[in-house]
Amino acid sequence: MRLDRTSFAKRIGAYAEAIALPAQPVAEGRLLRMVGLTLEAEGLRAAVGSRCRVINDDGYHAVEVEAEVMGFSGSKVFLMPVGSVAGIAPGARVVPLDDNGRLPMGMSMLGRVLDGAGRALDGKGGMKAEDWVPMEGPTINPLNREPISQPLDVGIRSINGLLTVGRGQRLGLFAGTGVGKSVLLGMMTRFTEAEIIVVGLIGERGREVKEFIEHILGEEGLKRSVVVASPADDAPLMRLRAAMYCTRIAEYFRDKGKNVLLLMDSLTRFAQAQREIALAIGEPPATRGYPPSVFAKLPKLVERAGNGEAGGGSITAFYTVLSEGDDQQDPIADSARGVLDGHFVLSRRLAEEGHYPAIDIEASISRVMPQVVEHQHLREAQKFKQLWSRLSQSRDLISVGAYVAGGDPETDLAIALQGKLVSYLRQALDENVSMAQSRAQLAEVFAAPAPGA
């Protein structure tokens, strides 16, 4: 039978469909071994960043663990588990999941405490999700971002007056252990003018998570907050996800036109989680044991905060950075300074003197302050810092009585105003000082005393 060209093409097409394989199915693999934190699988076809389910169903143990593809070498694929791998044995099936996971979002998240996967930790049951969004948020063209032009009232006098924060700014809170950074974060959570507050507790001790929520954040602070907690005993991938998740929550509300305050404690433990993962899959260490991928991850996380497009919302972010042994040249601290819009340094010496908040005014800076305050305010803040610096430099001479009055007019003025300077910098934990009050009290520091006073 002779076929015309059209019929021949149809038959060839039908034959091709009959013998064709399904459109590139993702092959299931088998677990070869576990080295440290890393799972090695063979026969798996999955892209880096995709999610898999490791299933052990050998008749003795029925265990399922979620894992993420972190890298590959030849036919071997390296995965990092999200949770505990107890019960997983060699030969377990590794099944790729259809998507990279979507996270629940919505106003019902307010007042809730979640883990890095969006599951409730507070025992209040599930949430009503208004939207399901991917972990990776949309990238904003830097030329389309709204410039930082408005001050943000954080309720802390020394910050409002001397280190004014701009709405949409990203700042680091640099401190060693035990100098009051968590308390300072709690004060900002309660006092800051923000519609939504997102708190990320990354790598904290489990005890501190509950204490922060109940005693520092408080019931009133929690009502307008979403807390994402991943304690220190979580797998490093879960800690990494928790930091990305709380940033994604902040992005979601910003895109809804809300002004969001993002507090992450801490950026250092996010970097340490990435270090654990990178070293486990064989990435060589570079700076003080930190692989290069750590320094690539930091700006990717931080750059997601900030103002949205013109007319939209904003994310003002505070990241705590732990300085090992109060070393401000720690590689993570040094890298964070380069990608943030300012930094507040907490001083152990001030904390030991009972001076709270223990902010070292000399070592701290807000890079956007000149853009968001009046010229007179900026001049008074600079004058205050100069006097405080002169007082600090002459501290030892003054304490032993070696300084002679009249030797330096500026030092004389600093000594005369010492009481006012110290009072301005100190603040009770439950004291909320507005931007207007901070500004007025700063002017009062330099006001001449009334005649006869």
Side-chain angles (χ1 to χ4, degrees):
M1 180 177 65
R2 189 179 181 117
L3 296 175
D4 59 22
R5 183 172 296 178
T6 303
S7 300
F8 181 78
K10 287 182 178 179
R11 289 206 175 185
I12 291 296
Y15 178 75
E17 287 183 13
I19 67 171
L21 293 173
Q24 294 295 320
V26 181
E28 179 180 308
R30 288 284 175 177
L31 190 63
L32 289 177
R33 61 175 182 162
M34 178 177 178
V35 181
L37 302 174
T38 312
L39 304 177
E40 291 185 14
E42 195 167 47
L44 181 68
R45 288 191 59 184
V48 173
S50 59
R51 296 162 60 236
C52 298
R53 183 77 64 185
V54 182
I55 303 172
N56 191 70
D57 49 6
D58 59 4
Y60 297 98
H61 301 93
V63 180
E64 292 190 10
V65 177
E66 184 182 329
E68 184 176 317
V69 178
M70 306 304 297
F72 56 87
S73 176
S75 61
K76 294 180 181 178
V77 175
F78 304 120
L79 303 103
M80 187 65 61
V82 174
S84 171
V85 292
I88 294 296
R93 296 161 54 215
V94 183
V95 182
L97 299 179
D98 292 336
D99 61 81
N100 290 333
R102 289 184 172 268
L103 303 168
M105 296 285 178
M107 296 300 292
S108 62
M109 303 176 79
L110 296 181
R112 302 302 302 271
V113 183
L114 313 172
D115 69 2
R119 297 183 295 255
L121 293 175
D122 52 15
K124 297 179 182 178
M127 298 177 299
K128 182 180 178 181
E130 298 173 14
D131 295 295
W132 290 84
V133 301
M135 182 70 84
E136 293 291 333
T139 301
I140 300 177
N141 186 324
L143 298 182
N144 294 338
R145 282 188 186 266
E146 184 80 15
I148 298 174
S149 58
Q150 299 178 7
L152 179 70
D153 187 349
V154 299
I156 298 171
R157 180 169 46 234
S158 56
I159 296 177
N160 282 343
L162 306 175
L163 303 164
T164 310
V165 176
R167 192 179 298 279
Q169 189 175 359
R170 299 160 305 190
L171 294 121
L173 205 58
F174 290 70
T177 56
V179 294
K181 63 182 183 305
S182 295
V183 175
L184 184 60
L185 286 179
M187 292 174 68
M188 286 191 285
T189 304
R190 295 192 301 273
F191 302 152
T192 300
E193 290 183 342
E195 297 170 273
I196 305 288
I197 298 170
V198 182
V199 181
L201 302 176
I202 314 301
E204 290 290 327
R205 292 183 288 273
R207 173 186 61 81
E208 291 181 336
V209 171
K210 188 171 184 179
E211 287 181 359
F212 182 89
I213 294 168
E214 293 185 355
H215 304 303
I216 297 178
L217 186 60
E219 186 177 348
E220 288 302 314
L222 186 60
K223 285 181 181 178
R224 56 177 180 149
S225 303
V226 183
V227 179
V228 179
S230 182
D233 60 346
D234 273 358
L237 185 57
M238 181 61 83
R239 282 177 267 145
L240 204 68
R241 282 190 178 182
M244 297 171 67
Y245 184 31
C246 64
T247 304
R248 188 68 185 95
I249 294 171
E251 286 178 317
Y252 172 81
F253 286 114
R254 177 189 64 191
D255 295 342
K256 295 288 184 183
K258 304 291 186 181
N259 292 317
V260 182
L261 176 66
L262 171 63
L263 306 174
M264 188 179 294
D265 186 12
S266 70
L267 194 64
T268 303
R269 293 197 173 112
F270 166 82
Q272 289 172 346
Q274 174 60 25
R275 176 174 65 179
E276 290 178 46
I277 293 171
L279 293 177
I281 63 175
E283 187 179 346
T287 307
R288 290 201 195 177
Y290 285 96
S293 63
V294 172
F295 303 101
K297 283 273 187 182
L298 285 176
K300 285 185 179 179
L301 181 74
V302 170
E303 282 294 324
R304 290 168 62 180
N307 284 336
E309 296 187 358
S314 66
I315 301 174
T316 306
F318 287 86
Y319 302 93
T320 65
V321 180
L322 303 177
S323 304
E324 296 182 9
D326 295 335
D327 178 15
Q328 297 303 316
Q329 302 308 314
D330 175 81
I332 298 303
D334 195 47
S335 180
R337 269 193 297 269
V339 296
L340 295 170
D341 304 321
H343 53 271
F344 303 158
V345 177
L346 299 189
S347 165
R348 185 171 302 278
R349 178 182 62 80
L350 292 175
E352 290 171 349
E353 292 176 358
H355 180 127
Y356 290 102
I359 301 174
D360 186 342
I361 297 300
E362 295 177 88
S364 305
I365 188 172
S366 172
R367 294 178 183 169
V368 305
M369 182 176 178
Q371 305 167 27
V372 298
V373 300
E374 299 173 352
H375 184 64
Q376 181 62 22
H377 181 177
L378 185 62
R379 287 184 59 189
E380 290 175 352
Q382 291 172 340
K383 183 65 176 177
F384 187 106
K385 288 183 178 181
Q386 290 168 2
L387 294 177
W388 183 257
S389 178
R390 190 59 61 92
L391 199 61
S392 299
Q393 292 169 10
S394 306
R395 178 187 180 94
D396 293 338
L397 291 175
I398 296 170
S399 63
V400 299
Y403 177 76
V404 178
D408 178 67
E410 193 162 286
T411 303
D412 292 342
L413 179 59
I415 294 172
L417 296 177
Q418 181 176 0
K420 288 185 175 182
L421 298 178
V422 172
S423 296
Y424 188 85
L425 294 176
R426 289 184 175 179
Q427 184 173 333
L429 301 181
D430 56 353
E431 183 184 2
N432 182 1
V433 183
S434 69
M435 181 70 74
Q437 291 173 319
S438 302
R439 175 71 185 87
Q441 291 172 15
L442 179 61
E444 288 176 5
V445 170
F446 304 104

